[in-house]
Amino acid sequence: MMESLATFLNGYLPEGVTTLIVIMIKIVAILLPLILAVAYTTFAERKIIGYMQVRMGPNRVGPKGWLQPIADTLKLMFKEIISPTKASTIVFFVAPMLALAPALAAWVVIPFWDGGVLADVNAGLLLILAITSLDVFGIILAGWASNSKYAILSSLRVGAQMVSYEIAMGFALVGVLMAAGSLNLSDIVRAQDGGIQNWFAWPLFGLLLVYFISGVAETNRAPFDVAEGESEIVAGFHVEYSGMAFALFFLAEYASMILISTLTALLFLGGWLSPFGDLLNDVPVLGFILGDGFHWLFIKSFFFLFCYLWFRATFPRYRYDQIMRLGWKILIPVTLVWIFGEGVAIALGWKPWL
Amino acid sequence: MTFELFIFYLFSAVTLFSAVAVVTVRNPIYSALFLILAFFSSAAIWILLEAEFLGVVLVLVYVGAVMVLFLFVIMMLDIQIDTLKEGFIRYLPVGILVAVAVATEMILVMRSDAFKVDIPDAAPLSVNNTEALGEVLYTEYVFPFEVASVILVVAIIAAIVLTLRRRTGVKKQDPSKQVRTRSEDRVRLVKMKAEKRL
């Protein structure tokens, strides 16, 4: 469909402009559903945690509360945005954008189905690591620009935490790329072809755990949510933000949560691949659903997203020094040992482990 | 002008502008931010040159790790902008001298024979950048590569040892010890007979 549109536009416009328009349309096609997903993740969070705690959750706006996220958005949009005096106004308003932009930009290399990717980059995994490492700037700058001691204390905490957990995350990804032999995300998924027993989740189970735990820490979610702390630092780095400026941080947090869930599904659970392999492709009517497709990626990422909410309802928070101990003294050594073992297995040519 | 040329000029302009701004803006935080922008746009130029691995690593290492630490340090300092401006005239002659020396050196280097090579053709797309770099690093240049990594490890250990100090008499918690406690160590369940009714 995109090709026919491109050829149609080429008749009227110079080639560069056509490329730009087609890319823009694709970006909008990814971002609109993503933002909608973010809005309904907040709703799902409140509902799911509500049911886990035996209460109803939001149920007043719209049927069964389904319009709640829309009402929240409207409320945030019409709220006054206050900027603190004696603060750096430019950095104060650039910071939320810097927090949101990497969380959205990383989706450029995510393959939704076979070939359904905006930019099929060779070094896709590295690109994701690089883009997500920019997340931390939005938070650090927000803390500094607020001219508030609570905000800066929180941003220092978060900054140190995110930089530490990025290392464990990177090592977990090294294990995946060793197993797949490629940095391209589509190739990594294709390397897991052939049913549920070929997924990287089994040989790389330790790395899956390390990756997801660091992902939770990276997005500052419970039980690692030390960015906030009502008794010590109020609302954390965004304590001075109101209205839409605050909403951008909120959006960034949930967009990164969805990103980490999708990445875990792609790297360890075979992304768009069906758990049955090609076995059930010929089943009448249902073959379309049982075969590979976007819906499998959706289900798998939804599972990890559910885990995020589950953790929040289940675990008490970590103390800060214990967070650092977990990252540096447990997760990083685990990944190092695992990568060493994997390297030996690859060097000796032990295929059955994969 | 092709689309690629347009992007090249855009990123070059941003790089030059932010590089100048790093040394001209007064607030050190803004300097650091412009340095980040300069790194980022030069990474984009490297990617345009089909060196996508180097470009991505530049962002990952310099922007994602080094600059975060820079910002940390600058944020913790209490900076008085007025004192930073003091003595501008006094140090101006020395500054001009250094600037002229650096400029002449750079011009001499750029005009040397080492830079008079023809522009090579674009590399074939059969081998990707990351793979090619990896193969060269671990075969031809394996010895310098290993030496460099050993030096880095030594540097890490040296930095840790320099800053490590143990004070006595500090009430410090040991998380690994705390995590390893069991309920049997803390609570003693005692079975007692019920008191007789009087």
Side-chain angles (χ1 to χ4, degrees):
Chain A
M1 196 191 82
M2 276 296 163
E3 284 77 29
S4 58
L5 180 72
T7 42
F8 170 73
L9 284 175
N10 262 334
Y12 302 94
L13 297 164
E15 201 175 338
V17 180
T18 319
T19 329
L20 207 63
I21 290 176
V22 170
I23 292 177
M24 283 295 181
I25 292 174
K26 285 182 182 172
I27 290 175
V28 170
I30 292 176
L31 285 193
L32 272 187
L34 180 65
I35 295 201
L36 207 66
V38 167
Y40 276 91
T41 308
T42 63
F43 179 63
E45 173 169 34
R46 294 160 74 180
K47 271 285 186 195
I48 289 171
I49 293 180
Y51 286 132
M52 282 181 181
Q53 295 166 346
V54 203
R55 46 189 182 82
M56 294 304 286
N59 63 351
R60 283 290 175 271
V61 192
K64 299 263 179 192
W66 275 97
L67 293 180
Q68 184 71 44
I70 310 223
D72 288 343
T73 320
L74 281 177
K75 184 197 83 170
L76 283 168
M77 276 206 273
F78 289 111
K79 265 178 125 173
E80 185 187 358
I81 297 178
I82 303 160
S83 81
T85 49
K86 286 204 160 187
S88 167
T89 324
I90 300 171
V91 180
F92 186 77
F93 287 117
V94 166
M97 299 175 204
L98 272 182
L100 181 61
L104 299 182
W107 287 87
V108 72
V109 286
I110 301 277
F112 296 99
W113 56 85
D114 205 350
V117 51
L118 179 53
D120 207 5
V121 188
N122 273 336
L125 207 54
L126 269 178
L127 194 76
I128 289 218
L129 261 183
I131 292 177
T132 47
S133 72
L134 299 180
D135 271 342
V136 66
F137 281 110
I139 292 170
I140 290 186
L141 290 179
W144 177 76
S146 297
N147 195 22
S148 149
K149 46 177 162 287
Y150 300 119
I152 201 166
L153 281 174
S154 159
S155 73
L156 288 177
R157 277 187 185 188
V158 178
Q161 179 186 335
M162 284 173 82
V163 172
S164 314
Y165 275 85
E166 230 154 57
I167 301 169
M169 215 169 184
F171 275 135
L173 293 184
V174 168
V176 173
L177 74 91
M178 276 165 74
S182 170
L183 279 169
N184 182 304
L185 280 167
S186 308
D187 286 345
I188 290 174
V189 173
R190 280 187 210 113
Q192 310 175 50
D193 199 6
I196 192 167
Q197 72 279 4
N198 284 1
W199 291 354
F200 287 159
W202 316 125
L204 305 179
F205 189 69
L207 295 184
L208 166 67
L209 290 184
V210 169
Y211 184 80
F212 194 60
I213 293 171
S214 334
V216 175
E218 193 83 342
T219 43
N220 297 315
R221 296 286 301 180
F224 304 104
D225 55 343
V226 288
E228 296 168 41
E230 278 76 10
S231 52
E232 321 120 51
I233 48 173
V234 205
F237 59 90
H238 52 59
V239 65
E240 305 288 343
Y241 284 86
S242 64
M244 244 0 237
F246 163 74
L248 287 189
F249 282 117
F250 205 66
L251 213 64
E253 183 181 326
Y254 283 82
S256 338
M257 272 166 64
I258 301 178
L259 179 71
I260 296 283
S261 314
T262 314
L263 271 177
T264 320
L266 280 171
L267 298 174
F268 294 98
L269 292 191
W272 68 77
L273 296 171
S274 155
F276 311 112
D278 294 333
L279 276 180
L280 301 176
N281 272 3
D282 301 329
V283 175
V285 187
L286 282 179
F288 177 67
I289 295 175
L290 295 173
D292 306 338
F294 172 66
H295 52 284
W296 286 114
L297 179 63
F298 183 82
I299 293 169
K300 289 164 188 169
S301 1
F302 189 83
F303 169 71
F304 286 112
L305 205 53
F306 180 76
C307 284
Y308 263 104
L309 312 181
W310 197 0
F311 292 163
R312 185 169 167 196
T314 313
F315 293 133
R317 301 170 78 208
Y318 261 85
R319 212 174 59 201
Y320 194 71
D321 57 337
Q322 289 177 345
I323 291 182
M324 284 302 173
R325 173 178 170 274
L326 180 71
W328 287 99
K329 291 190 177 169
I330 298 175
L331 296 188
I332 293 177
V334 164
T335 51
L336 285 177
V337 169
W338 207 285
I339 287 173
F340 181 75
E342 201 188 337
V344 170
I346 290 176
L348 294 178
W350 292 348
K351 266 295 154 199
W353 71 278
L354 262 184
Chain B
M1 194 160 68
T2 60
F3 191 57
E4 275 167 36
L5 206 60
F6 168 72
I7 294 179
F8 172 76
Y9 279 122
L10 184 74
F11 281 119
S12 312
V14 173
T15 312
L16 286 179
F17 166 74
S18 46
V20 170
V22 171
V23 285
T24 50
V25 292
R26 293 212 176 107
N27 193 329
I29 292 267
Y30 291 162
S31 290
L33 290 181
F34 276 117
L35 190 56
I36 291 169
L37 187 59
F39 280 142
F40 200 77
S41 42
S42 28
I45 292 175
W46 277 6
I47 290 175
L48 268 183
L49 287 171
E50 295 181 7
E52 71 266 7
F53 181 75
L54 291 177
V56 168
V57 167
L58 179 71
V59 173
L60 191 62
V61 174
Y62 281 90
V63 180
V66 175
M67 287 315 290
V68 174
L69 297 182
F70 262 56
L71 268 182
F72 255 54
V73 174
I74 300 173
M75 268 166 34
M76 303 299 283
L77 302 174
D78 186 23
I79 294 155
Q80 305 290 325
I81 291 175
D82 299 336
T83 53
L84 284 180
K85 283 193 292 181
E86 270 175 19
F88 180 73
I89 299 293
R90 227 179 95 203
Y91 297 122
L92 193 61
V94 185
I96 289 175
L97 201 72
V98 172
V100 168
V102 170
T104 26
E105 276 173 6
M106 280 182 75
I107 291 169
L108 284 176
V109 167
M110 296 299 256
R111 287 171 64 89
S112 69
D113 288 340
F115 278 84
K116 281 182 189 143
V117 283
D118 298 325
I119 299 167
D121 294 330
L125 284 172
S126 55
V127 180
N128 75 50
N129 197 273
T130 318
E131 243 179 273
L133 262 175
E135 253 164 37
V136 173
L137 266 187
Y138 284 98
T139 51
E140 211 169 314
Y141 297 105
V142 67
F143 185 65
F145 182 74
E146 294 295 329
V147 170
S149 42
V150 169
I151 292 175
L152 279 176
V153 171
V154 171
I156 292 173
I157 294 171
I160 293 172
V161 169
L162 279 178
T163 51
L164 184 74
R165 54 181 186 141
R166 286 190 201 284
R167 285 191 299 167
T168 46
V170 182
K171 285 183 183 168
K172 203 175 157 194
Q173 294 157 325
D174 182 5
S176 17
K177 219 166 157 187
Q178 291 177 323
V179 169
R180 256 181 276 131
T181 49
R182 295 164 305 161
S183 58
E184 297 94 77
D185 302 335
R186 294 272 169 93
V187 182
R188 195 162 55 95
L189 290 180
V190 185
K191 191 151 192 159
M192 290 176 77
K193 273 189 187 131
E195 265 185 72
K196 284 198 184 95
R197 186 178 288 169
L198 292 172

